[in-house]
Amino acid sequence: MKTGFCGLGNMGEAMAATLVAAGFDVTVWNRSPEPVQALAEKGATSADTVQQAAENADILIAMLPDDTVTRQVLVESGALDALPEGAVFINMATVSIAFSRELDEFLAGKGLHYLAAPVLGRPDVAAAGALNILAAGRQDALDTAMPVLEAMGSKVWHFGDEPQQANAVKLAVNAMIAGAIGMMGESVALAQGYGIDRGQFIELISTTLFASPVYQGYGRAIAEERYEPAGFKLSLGLKDVRLALEAGERVNVPQPISAILRDALIDALAHHQGDQDWASLARVATRRAGQE
Amino acid sequence: MKTGFCGLGNMGEAMAATLVAAGFDVTVWNRSPEPVQALAEKGATSADTVQQAAENADILIAMLPDDTVTRQVLVESGALDALPEGAVFINMATVSIAFSRELDEFLAGKGLHYLAAPVLGRPDVAAAGALNILAAGRQDALDTAMPVLEAMGSKVWHFGDEPQQANAVKLAVNAMIAGAIGMMGESVALAQGYGIDRGQFIELISTTLFASPVYQGYGRAIAEERYEPAGFKLSLGLKDVRLALEAGERVNVPQPISAILRDALIDALAHHQGDQDWASLARVATRRAGQE
Amino acid sequence: MKTGFCGLGNMGEAMAATLVAAGFDVTVWNRSPEPVQALAEKGATSADTVQQAAENADILIAMLPDDTVTRQVLVESGALDALPEGAVFINMATVSIAFSRELDEFLAGKGLHYLAAPVLGRPDVAAAGALNILAAGRQDALDTAMPVLEAMGSKVWHFGDEPQQANAVKLAVNAMIAGAIGMMGESVALAQGYGIDRGQFIELISTTLFASPVYQGYGRAIAEERYEPAGFKLSLGLKDVRLALEAGERVNVPQPISAILRDALIDALAHHQGDQDWASLARVATRRAGQE
Amino acid sequence: MKTGFCGLGNMGEAMAATLVAAGFDVTVWNRSPEPVQALAEKGATSADTVQQAAENADILIAMLPDDTVTRQVLVESGALDALPEGAVFINMATVSIAFSRELDEFLAGKGLHYLAAPVLGRPDVAAAGALNILAAGRQDALDTAMPVLEAMGSKVWHFGDEPQQANAVKLAVNAMIAGAIGMMGESVALAQGYGIDRGQFIELISTTLFASPVYQGYGRAIAEERYEPAGFKLSLGLKDVRLALEAGERVNVPQPISAILRDALIDALAHHQGDQDWASLARVATRRAGQE
């Protein structure tokens, strides 16, 4: 099964590497050449153009930054037109519902199959092939894709036949992460208002009722006030919360907490936190309380 | 060391039982007699009046429902006046900052010691002596109290010399629980808006990024839409979130998410959910989305 | 008809003066003596104690700062006990629903009549006898009080038989004022984000769609960034919004906008704006946008 | 001076009629022919295509529903390319900042002038030529356009040299209207919670502190619970509040009240209020309080 892979950022490179290691025939493309070369040394075929990655592929995987880049690189470039009939396109990036639907219609019109399959997990998890993969799309397309998905993830979730369903799940999860960070920020500000050490408070919650990756990972950053380098930039977090709100608006779902989170993320941007890790959303609460 | 214990609700009875089992000399009082008798059978001394539980006690523990009841039972009744000089009063209930400060001044004026020591954990955890105990107060009082606290908890946290500090931590934690429920509600509504099964969504989050007691416990209730019988009534949850907001206002801490949670809890009360478990806060999101 | 008047702040002094000018037999009391003397020179009788203002009064009017002061001065002092049977007590201050109900029960138990009658209007309006008086209480009490109310106001509104109804209306109106200031703040921040002059924006709204006293008065302060001296202190504004939220919670009314306003007022307090006019609530929006 | 006018809805038809009545040489176009005919009978020239309205025009005015329709009708159709060099295009519709900037660049690249000039006022105000016109764009373009603008409006405001500035002002004003409706809703719910008649409450505010067109007009609808026929549909109100939020996000301005208003408007849509007048936003508050 020939597989193309476009978009070799931190996540994409690690994911593509697991495919190569698992013995798949992978052709990789990236805008900048360094990761292409690195993967070629591991056994991937390098593509000079995205079309080369697409043509002859049974499966084309994309892990590009956002709607705009994905549209430019794959749609406007004509790359998707280069896919052979019956091929499956798997978009693993976090994109908007609107764009996912647009892709779905575009591909269906060409006799191609579309899976949305965004992931949970950071680059180290991707490198271990241990992502949680949130997939949606028709069952036959999923069946075709399953071998490559299983190589990249420890678990493949199937949320329905419409690709946008997986995007909705991913956006909902990201909104929940923002919610966890936002609530940690409020609670740290409250605790500090009573002279309580933020580290001790975070230790309490992250070792008891909230002992889970999100509270432990972001909690540690908040406890140590260490927001650089960014694992996930706050400006991207704002984008995702906005996409979650747009997703809600399409189906008439009020999301007042997410709305307040978006507001706080904008406050953070206005205070030059856009390039910090989005754990620094917690700073908005302490700053508003006059604690900074 | 003679210990008095007032307030034998679900939590108090379990906590007092661990003290008796650990060999402490415990005199217990409760408004209704059944749990007093049950504990007497296990080896506790029963008190007919709260004064009897207080007089001669080295340590008096209270686990009463709220500010109002605690004030009536212990302050207005004169029970605290019955404590021998130098005794330590440990209030383990969730009360307001204002009332905790009031108690602190009242007791200090009588030469008595005061510890605030609210807990994390449900009755089954209390029965196992495995609570997390959030203590604050002067170190010498804590030293005196430590044997009984350690009998009831797996870990005793000391948040500072002022009793109100422990109350602030407890209120912050409860606000965070409300936040977790509220965000689950919004996300379930969003997911359902796209035809995704709520059970599958809750399974995803509670086995991956949010795999922790709060998300698993409340998540299960939300997944199954099972809000009765209440482990913790929504009306009490509203009280705690309001107390967290009051605590923040005292020290100039804005808490916009908690403010929105309070608002949603009121919406729930207006729709007859006050006696349901506060996991049913999640219903506000789905109802507002027209999904009920 | 003998009338007592307690509380001669800026509002109270102007209101009492209109009664004296209208020929009523008014006995006045105030904690500090200066305004008592000033009114005595205009023809009022001065009282050395609040009891003197109450005894023999057909009507006792109070315009004291808040719940706490009103309780101390009138209830705990025994002043209300000095009122002759059948007298009417008119509380014109902005107080909580809870305290208004407490007063109602207290007075009913003594065979006294109670009217809540908070007002709309600043001291200059009070001096002109042109207040809008928001009254509630039994019709017979209102009938008795009407001559003095009409001397102080251009219009007397009767909102129902229960005194708390007038308090609810007053709190709702004050929340609306906060809402108008808050929205002006957001809109000024938005306009300034596009390089638009705040004065021109305020001129637009306050001369067209929003041409009314609230938008013109507070709008001018915002346009000129002139928040001192305070006509109404921001810290008092926070108190009133909190009372409005408490009033809503008593009857299960969610008020998300008011909740956000409370939050912004706390942010303002944390930034040392408590003694500024509450028009300076608008600064929260521009500060959060990084425009200050 | 030859003037083209595209978009003869309720507003556009009234505006074009004032131009005809003022003696301007106006060529009109509309998708449906009826209003074209009506204006032709009053002296306008009718255009069969939008290109006919544009070619030879010194000034082209558009009053189309939204970004999408405006882009289709004027940009994608090639109509703007038909404008003679040096012509001024005046877009009087409420559009997004992003689209206004796109138009600005598009027209500048063709040697054409662009004014954004959205308006305040309903169709009856437009028919009287008494609109408030919120203009932005270069001074020379405004000078050219002034005669036609003055024929349509009682006042022309100039908010700056960049067209988007006028769009920002219009969106800020519309957000303020939503804020006024939202606060009336909350306050009516609070008042009703205390048994107060909503009509009396609205009368109070709209004849005193808030005596202005917005509170009187929308207040009357709320008082009478009369939301049909819609003067301005709630679904369009949601669109405008969303555009205001997007405008704020572009320049890092948090708008928490507007965020909550957007949320409430979505709640309204989920309850089938999309075609009601946006005064019915007030129903969200009373419904959430269990009063409906």
Side-chain angles (χ1 to χ4, degrees):
Chain A
M1 190 155 57
K2 288 182 65 64
T3 301
F5 202 114
C6 313
L8 303 172
N10 291 342
M11 287 297 291
E13 184 173 355
M15 291 157 71
T18 64
L19 292 181
V20 173
F24 287 93
D25 175 2
V26 188
T27 303
V28 297
W29 175 87
N30 194 58
R31 190 164 289 189
S32 65
E34 296 80 3
V36 175
Q37 222 158 346
L39 280 163
E41 285 165 19
K42 292 178 181 165
T45 305
S46 63
D48 292 335
T49 66
V50 67
Q51 278 84 351
Q52 285 177 18
E55 62 197 13
N56 306 320
D58 300 301
I59 290 174
L60 179 67
I61 298 172
M63 191 64 178
L64 294 158
D66 58 22
D67 290 22
T68 306
V69 174
T70 306
R71 184 184 280 109
Q72 286 173 348
V73 167
L74 294 175
V75 184
E76 295 173 0
S77 72
L80 292 180
D81 298 296
L83 279 174
E85 206 187 318
V88 176
F89 171 62
I90 312 178
N91 189 6
M92 304 190 76
T94 302
V95 297
S96 71
I97 300 291
F99 182 55
S100 196
R101 292 174 62 98
E102 182 187 325
L103 278 176
D104 196 22
E105 287 172 29
F106 177 82
L107 292 158
K110 296 184 178 296
L112 298 165
H113 302 291
Y114 175 44
L115 285 180
V119 301
L120 301 187
R122 295 261 174 135
D124 57 329
V125 179
L131 295 166
N132 274 273
I133 298 179
L134 318 180
R138 285 193 19 224
Q139 185 66 46
D140 53 354
L142 183 63
D143 291 342
T144 305
M146 199 51 104
V148 298
L149 295 178
E150 286 182 332
M152 292 185 283
S154 57
K155 179 152 186 181
V156 178
W157 303 73
H158 188 207
F159 284 105
D161 288 345
E162 299 173 31
Q164 60 174 341
Q165 293 178 300
N167 302 108
V169 170
K170 171 66 177 172
L171 294 172
V173 170
N174 278 17
M176 286 189 66
I177 297 172
I181 299 171
M183 276 308 303
M184 281 192 273
E186 280 193 18
S187 293
V188 162
L190 177 55
Q192 289 191 156
Y194 285 88
I196 293 149
D197 177 69
R198 64 163 65 204
Q200 194 184 14
F201 181 80
I202 293 289
E203 190 195 345
L204 169 69
I205 58 167
S206 63
T207 60
T208 60
L209 297 180
F210 296 90
S212 65
V214 161
Y215 287 85
Q216 287 166 343
Y218 294 109
R220 197 175 311 119
I222 294 167
E224 300 172 2
E225 299 185 70
R226 178 184 38 74
Y227 302 120
E228 283 156 349
F232 185 67
K233 285 188 185 179
L234 191 141
S235 57
L236 296 176
L238 172 57
K239 186 203 70 173
D240 282 4
V241 171
R242 183 179 58 237
L243 292 183
L245 288 166
E246 287 177 14
E249 190 174 329
R250 291 179 77 95
V251 291
N252 291 342
V253 173
Q255 296 155 282
I257 306 175
S258 302
I260 290 301
L261 292 167
R262 173 185 166 279
D263 193 71
L265 288 160
I266 292 172
D267 180 321
L269 275 189
H271 290 83
H272 313 296
Q273 298 174 233
D275 290 332
Q276 294 192 332
D277 189 86
W278 74 329
S280 84
L281 167 59
R283 288 180 56 200
V284 175
T286 48
R287 182 170 56 235
R288 293 189 68 198
Q291 295 175 358
E292 292 209 354
Chain B
M1 190 155 57
K2 289 184 62 63
T3 302
F5 202 114
C6 314
L8 304 172
N10 291 341
M11 287 296 293
E13 184 174 356
M15 290 156 72
T18 63
L19 292 181
V20 173
F24 287 94
D25 175 1
V26 188
T27 303
V28 297
W29 175 87
N30 194 57
R31 191 164 290 192
S32 65
E34 296 79 4
V36 174
Q37 222 158 345
L39 280 161
E41 285 164 20
K42 292 179 181 166
T45 305
S46 62
D48 292 334
T49 65
V50 67
Q51 278 83 353
Q52 285 177 18
E55 64 197 14
N56 305 321
D58 301 301
I59 292 175
L60 179 66
I61 299 172
M63 191 63 177
L64 294 158
D66 57 23
D67 291 22
T68 305
V69 174
T70 307
R71 184 184 280 110
Q72 286 173 346
V73 167
L74 294 175
V75 184
E76 294 173 2
S77 72
L80 292 180
D81 298 296
L83 280 174
E85 205 187 319
V88 177
F89 171 63
I90 313 178
N91 189 4
M92 304 189 77
T94 302
V95 297
S96 71
I97 299 291
F99 182 54
S100 196
R101 291 174 62 98
E102 183 188 324
L103 278 176
D104 195 21
E105 287 172 28
F106 176 82
L107 292 159
K110 296 184 177 298
L112 297 166
H113 303 290
Y114 174 43
L115 285 180
V119 301
L120 302 187
R122 294 260 173 135
D124 57 330
V125 180
L131 295 167
N132 274 273
I133 298 178
L134 318 180
R138 287 199 11 228
Q139 185 66 47
D140 52 355
L142 184 63
D143 290 343
T144 304
M146 199 51 106
V148 298
L149 295 179
E150 286 182 332
M152 292 184 283
S154 57
K155 181 151 183 181
V156 179
W157 303 74
H158 188 207
F159 284 105
D161 288 344
E162 299 172 31
Q164 59 173 343
Q165 293 178 300
N167 302 107
V169 169
K170 171 65 176 172
L171 294 172
V173 170
N174 278 17
M176 287 188 67
I177 297 172
I181 298 171
M183 276 309 301
M184 281 192 274
E186 281 193 18
S187 293
V188 162
L190 177 55
Q192 289 192 156
Y194 285 90
I196 293 150
D197 177 69
R198 63 162 67 205
Q200 194 184 14
F201 181 80
I202 293 290
E203 189 196 345
L204 169 69
I205 58 166
S206 64
T207 59
T208 59
L209 297 180
F210 296 90
S212 64
V214 161
Y215 287 85
Q216 287 167 344
Y218 293 108
R220 198 174 310 118
I222 293 168
E224 299 172 4
E225 301 187 69
R226 180 183 36 74
Y227 304 121
E228 284 154 350
F232 185 68
K233 285 188 185 179
L234 191 141
S235 57
L236 296 176
L238 171 57
K239 186 203 70 173
D240 282 4
V241 171
R242 183 180 59 237
L243 293 183
L245 288 166
E246 287 177 13
E249 189 174 331
R250 290 179 77 96
V251 291
N252 291 342
V253 173
Q255 295 154 281
I257 305 176
S258 302
I260 290 301
L261 292 167
R262 172 185 167 280
D263 193 70
L265 288 160
I266 292 172
D267 181 321
L269 276 189
H271 290 83
H272 315 295
Q273 299 174 234
D275 290 331
Q276 295 192 330
D277 190 87
W278 75 328
S280 85
L281 167 59
R283 289 181 55 200
V284 176
T286 48
R287 182 171 55 235
R288 294 189 67 198
Q291 294 175 358
E292 290 208 356
Chain C
M1 191 156 55
K2 288 183 66 63
T3 302
F5 202 113
C6 314
L8 304 172
N10 290 342
M11 286 297 292
E13 184 174 356
M15 291 156 72
T18 63
L19 292 181
V20 173
F24 287 93
D25 175 2
V26 188
T27 301
V28 296
W29 175 87
N30 194 58
R31 191 163 289 191
S32 65
E34 296 79 4
V36 175
Q37 220 158 348
L39 280 162
E41 284 164 19
K42 291 178 181 167
T45 304
S46 62
D48 291 335
T49 66
V50 67
Q51 279 82 352
Q52 285 177 19
E55 64 196 12
N56 305 319
D58 300 300
I59 292 175
L60 179 66
I61 300 171
M63 191 65 179
L64 294 158
D66 57 24
D67 290 23
T68 306
V69 174
T70 306
R71 184 184 280 109
Q72 286 174 346
V73 167
L74 294 174
V75 184
E76 295 174 0
S77 73
L80 291 180
D81 298 298
L83 279 174
E85 205 187 320
V88 177
F89 172 62
I90 313 177
N91 189 6
M92 304 189 76
T94 302
V95 297
S96 71
I97 299 290
F99 182 54
S100 196
R101 291 174 64 98
E102 181 187 326
L103 278 176
D104 195 21
E105 287 172 29
F106 176 82
L107 291 159
K110 296 184 177 297
L112 298 166
H113 302 291
Y114 174 43
L115 285 180
V119 301
L120 301 186
R122 295 260 172 134
D124 57 330
V125 179
L131 296 166
N132 274 274
I133 297 178
L134 318 180
R138 288 201 7 233
Q139 185 67 47
D140 52 354
L142 184 63
D143 291 342
T144 305
M146 198 51 102
V148 299
L149 295 178
E150 287 184 330
M152 291 185 285
S154 57
K155 181 152 184 182
V156 179
W157 303 74
H158 188 207
F159 283 105
D161 287 345
E162 298 173 31
Q164 60 173 342
Q165 294 178 298
N167 303 107
V169 170
K170 172 65 177 172
L171 294 172
V173 170
N174 278 17
M176 287 189 67
I177 297 172
I181 298 171
M183 277 307 304
M184 281 193 275
E186 280 193 20
S187 294
V188 161
L190 177 55
Q192 289 191 155
Y194 286 89
I196 292 150
D197 177 69
R198 64 162 66 203
Q200 194 184 15
F201 181 79
I202 292 290
E203 190 195 345
L204 170 69
I205 58 167
S206 64
T207 60
T208 60
L209 297 180
F210 296 90
S212 64
V214 161
Y215 288 85
Q216 288 167 342
Y218 294 108
R220 198 174 310 119
I222 294 168
E224 300 172 2
E225 300 186 70
R226 180 183 36 74
Y227 303 120
E228 284 156 348
F232 185 68
K233 284 188 185 180
L234 191 141
S235 57
L236 296 175
L238 171 56
K239 187 204 66 175
D240 282 5
V241 171
R242 183 179 60 236
L243 293 183
L245 288 165
E246 287 177 14
E249 190 174 329
R250 290 179 77 95
V251 291
N252 290 343
V253 173
Q255 295 155 282
I257 306 176
S258 302
I260 290 300
L261 292 167
R262 172 185 167 280
D263 192 71
L265 288 160
I266 292 171
D267 180 321
L269 275 188
H271 289 83
H272 314 296
Q273 297 174 234
D275 289 332
Q276 294 192 332
D277 190 86
W278 75 329
S280 85
L281 167 59
R283 288 181 55 200
V284 175
T286 48
R287 181 170 56 235
R288 294 188 67 198
Q291 295 176 356
E292 291 209 353
Chain D
M1 191 155 58
K2 288 182 66 61
T3 302
F5 201 112
C6 313
L8 304 172
N10 289 342
M11 287 296 291
E13 184 174 355
M15 291 156 73
T18 63
L19 292 181
V20 173
F24 287 94
D25 176 1
V26 188
T27 302
V28 296
W29 176 87
N30 194 58
R31 191 163 289 190
S32 65
E34 296 79 4
V36 174
Q37 221 159 345
L39 280 162
E41 283 165 19
K42 291 179 180 166
T45 305
S46 62
D48 292 335
T49 66
V50 66
Q51 279 82 354
Q52 284 177 19
E55 63 197 12
N56 305 320
D58 300 301
I59 292 175
L60 180 67
I61 299 171
M63 192 64 179
L64 294 158
D66 57 24
D67 291 24
T68 306
V69 174
T70 306
R71 184 184 280 109
Q72 287 173 345
V73 167
L74 294 174
V75 183
E76 295 173 1
S77 72
L80 291 180
D81 298 296
L83 279 174
E85 204 187 319
V88 176
F89 172 62
I90 313 177
N91 189 4
M92 304 190 76
T94 302
V95 296
S96 72
I97 299 290
F99 182 55
S100 196
R101 291 174 63 99
E102 182 187 326
L103 278 176
D104 195 21
E105 287 172 28
F106 177 82
L107 291 160
K110 296 185 177 298
L112 297 166
H113 303 291
Y114 174 43
L115 285 180
V119 301
L120 301 187
R122 294 258 173 136
D124 57 329
V125 179
L131 295 166
N132 274 273
I133 298 178
L134 318 180
R138 285 193 18 225
Q139 186 66 47
D140 52 355
L142 184 63
D143 291 343
T144 304
M146 200 49 105
V148 298
L149 295 178
E150 286 184 331
M152 292 184 284
S154 57
K155 181 154 183 180
V156 179
W157 303 74
H158 188 208
F159 284 104
D161 288 345
E162 298 172 31
Q164 60 173 341
Q165 293 178 300
N167 302 108
V169 170
K170 171 66 178 171
L171 294 171
V173 170
N174 277 17
M176 286 189 66
I177 296 172
I181 298 170
M183 276 307 303
M184 280 192 276
E186 281 193 18
S187 293
V188 162
L190 177 55
Q192 288 191 157
Y194 285 89
I196 293 150
D197 177 70
R198 63 163 65 203
Q200 195 184 13
F201 181 79
I202 293 289
E203 190 196 344
L204 169 69
I205 58 167
S206 64
T207 60
T208 60
L209 296 181
F210 296 89
S212 64
V214 162
Y215 288 85
Q216 287 167 343
Y218 293 109
R220 198 174 309 119
I222 294 167
E224 300 172 3
E225 301 186 68
R226 180 183 37 73
Y227 303 120
E228 283 157 349
F232 185 67
K233 285 187 184 179
L234 191 141
S235 57
L236 296 176
L238 171 57
K239 187 202 69 174
D240 282 5
V241 171
R242 183 180 59 237
L243 293 183
L245 288 165
E246 287 177 14
E249 190 174 329
R250 291 179 76 94
V251 292
N252 291 342
V253 172
Q255 294 154 283
I257 306 175
S258 302
I260 290 301
L261 292 167
R262 172 185 168 281
D263 193 70
L265 288 160
I266 291 171
D267 179 321
L269 275 189
H271 289 83
H272 315 294
Q273 298 174 234
D275 290 331
Q276 294 192 332
D277 190 87
W278 74 330
S280 85
L281 167 59
R283 288 181 55 200
V284 175
T286 48
R287 183 171 54 235
R288 295 189 66 199
Q291 295 175 356
E292 290 209 354

